[in-house]
Amino acid sequence: MKRLLILEDGTIFEGTAFGADVDVTGEVVFNTGMTGYQESITDQSYNGQILTFTYPLVGNYGINRDDYESIIPTCKGVVVRENARLASNWRNQMSLDEFLQRKNIPGISGIDTRALTRIIRHHGTMKATLANPGDEIKHMQDQLRATVLPTNQVEQVSTQTAYPSPGTGRNIVVVDFGLKHSILRELSKRECNLTIVPHTITAKEIIDMNPDGVMLTNGPGDPTDVPDALEMIQGIQDKFPIFGICLGHQLFAMANGATTSKMKFGHRGFNHAVREIATGRVDFTSQNHGYAVDAASIDKTDLMVTHIEINDQSVEGVRHKYLPAFSVQFHPDAAPGPHDADYLFDEFMEMIDATKLEKGDF
């Protein structure tokens, strides 16, 4: 069965349908990773987006029980050059096609994803529609241009109630803006006792929990759409060590006076080189974001830039000059991607221990 991908600029791609038989509209973006399609599709940072994979063959090792980054994915659609006919891996439980059908996500294959990626790189991310042929094309294009994409993505993907992930070590409050399960895995490896809380939690509620540290997770959308989080961060950052990742990084920077802006086409992939300014160390990192902290806005804050992206010099990490708090734009938890930067979780643990020792809490 045929399916169309219609872009806001008028471009139309015709390909083969797979996955769910539904029409959807969202922001079309591209991911440059060579593997990790399951983790990407289930990453809540892709909420509301039509996800294009630049690697030509997708689905060749199927879907397994271990690589979910969330249980209910909320990306709008999947675009691939070739959807593998056979999934071959000892962990395989179902095909990508079957998985997308179960999750009610449409896919399109057989289109030139290189050409699509060039369009996005040139014009920037834009709205797009995945639809079956049949409706009048001009009508679908008019509907697409008139569609206003939602801005409450974090509300859609954050947990509604707090829940525990028990451990025997440090007590960490994890503020869920659309977290990846790999963040919980990394903290659990370090035997942390976790309490995952909604994005609406207040500073007072966190203070009453008296954690050893606070994790601000990744999530979808524009950080300026989550203004209440800034007040929460301002209320706790002088009381507990903080570690922010991706959206959590942007919110931490904004809470301290920095600004953010939308990138032309973002960073989405697992091969982004990042330099740590203090040491010159270069890590290859996993990234998924369409917004970035403005470098010039940091000069008038109590923050210092710790990491930069080698290719475009964008801000990839900040640290508070006077408080035990830092954040990074990339994913040290990877999944998928290189684990070069997972030492940052150990630095967070060391920061917590040093803070407790200073307070005499040991």
Side-chain angles (χ1 to χ4, degrees):
M1 185 172 70
K2 295 297 183 183
R3 182 164 286 164
L4 302 178
L5 174 65
I6 304 170
L7 304 187
E8 187 179 6
D9 70 352
T11 305
I12 300 175
F13 292 90
E14 181 178 305
T16 302
F18 71 103
D21 185 16
V22 293
D23 294 354
V24 297
T25 295
E27 182 184 45
V28 63
V29 300
F30 64 87
N31 180 301
T32 58
M34 296 176 66
T35 60
Y37 54 82
Q38 180 178 340
E39 295 97 318
S40 296
I41 291 169
T42 57
D43 181 352
Q44 297 291 4
S45 293
Y46 284 111
N47 172 270
Q49 295 178 326
I50 296 173
L51 175 54
T52 302
F53 290 99
T54 62
Y55 191 71
L57 178 64
V58 176
N60 54 311
Y61 53 87
I63 300 292
N64 66 75
R65 70 173 193 176
D66 300 325
D67 291 338
Y68 288 96
E69 288 300 312
S70 68
I71 301 302
I72 303 174
T74 59
C75 69
K76 283 291 188 177
V78 173
V79 180
V80 302
R81 175 67 183 90
E82 180 181 352
N83 176 35
R85 291 173 298 162
L86 177 67
S88 178
N89 184 275
W90 65 274
R91 296 189 303 167
N92 175 42
Q93 293 182 309
M94 70 185 82
S95 69
L96 175 61
D97 180 31
E98 181 184 352
F99 173 71
L100 293 181
Q101 289 183 43
R102 290 188 180 190
K103 300 303 181 181
N104 202 36
I105 298 172
I108 183 172
S109 65
I111 74 166
D112 188 344
T113 51
R114 295 170 301 177
L116 173 58
T117 301
R118 288 192 190 100
I119 291 172
I120 298 172
R121 285 181 62 91
H122 181 72
H123 296 287
T125 55
M126 66 184 80
K127 292 183 292 185
T129 292
L130 273 176
N132 295 328
D135 291 342
E136 208 270 322
I137 295 292
K138 186 177 186 309
H139 175 65
M140 288 192 287
Q141 290 175 322
D142 291 341
Q143 281 190 318
L144 172 60
R145 294 189 185 99
T147 298
V148 178
L149 298 180
T151 58
N152 64 336
Q153 291 105 313
V154 171
E155 179 184 330
Q156 292 179 39
V157 299
S158 173
T159 183
Q160 300 300 304
T161 57
Y163 62 93
S165 179
T168 59
R170 305 166 185 87
N171 291 304
I172 309 295
V173 165
V174 180
V175 184
D176 176 15
F177 296 106
L179 64 80
K180 294 178 65 182
H181 288 178
S182 50
I183 293 176
L184 303 184
R185 292 189 198 106
E186 289 296 330
L187 293 171
S188 294
K189 282 180 190 176
R190 291 155 178 85
E191 301 182 342
C192 294
N193 183 53
L194 308 178
T195 304
I196 297 88
V197 298
H199 75 285
T200 53
I201 194 165
T202 64
K204 183 181 183 305
E205 289 170 327
I206 293 179
I207 292 169
D208 289 344
M209 298 170 74
N210 194 31
D212 296 323
V214 177
M215 166 66 71
L216 308 174
T217 77
N218 66 293
D222 185 342
T224 61
D225 292 330
V226 200
D228 291 346
L230 307 186
E231 183 178 349
M232 177 271 291
I233 295 168
Q234 290 163 355
I236 64 170
Q237 66 180 5
D238 62 344
K239 297 175 177 63
F240 312 109
I242 290 177
F243 181 16
I245 292 176
C246 201
L247 179 63
H249 154 77
Q250 296 162 9
L251 293 171
F252 171 65
M254 289 174 59
N256 284 280
T259 60
T260 59
S261 56
K262 185 174 177 64
M263 306 172 77
K264 187 174 182 180
F265 49 82
H267 294 162
R268 296 177 180 89
F270 321 129
N271 49 5
H272 289 266
V274 170
R275 176 182 290 114
E276 184 177 36
I277 294 173
T279 63
R281 169 181 174 141
V282 174
D283 293 322
F284 285 92
T285 66
S286 175
Q287 301 199 15
N288 177 12
H289 62 102
Y291 292 80
V293 175
D294 299 320
S297 70
I298 295 177
D299 294 341
K300 298 178 182 178
T301 72
D302 287 332
L303 302 176
M304 59 183 294
V305 178
T306 57
H307 297 77
I308 59 169
E309 216 268 9
I310 288 178
N311 292 315
D312 63 11
Q313 304 300 300
S314 58
V315 175
E316 290 285 344
V318 297
R319 183 179 293 267
H320 202 285
K321 294 177 181 177
Y322 311 111
L323 300 174
F326 70 102
S327 63
V328 291
Q329 181 63 76
F330 52 90
H331 280 272
D333 52 292
H339 293 268
D340 294 18
D342 61 3
Y343 67 90
L344 291 171
F345 286 96
D346 296 320
E347 287 194 4
F348 184 40
M349 300 298 104
E350 293 166 4
M351 177 181 285
I352 289 172
D353 293 345
T355 302
K356 291 174 69 175
L357 186 61
E358 185 178 323
K359 292 180 178 179
D361 288 344
F362 272 107

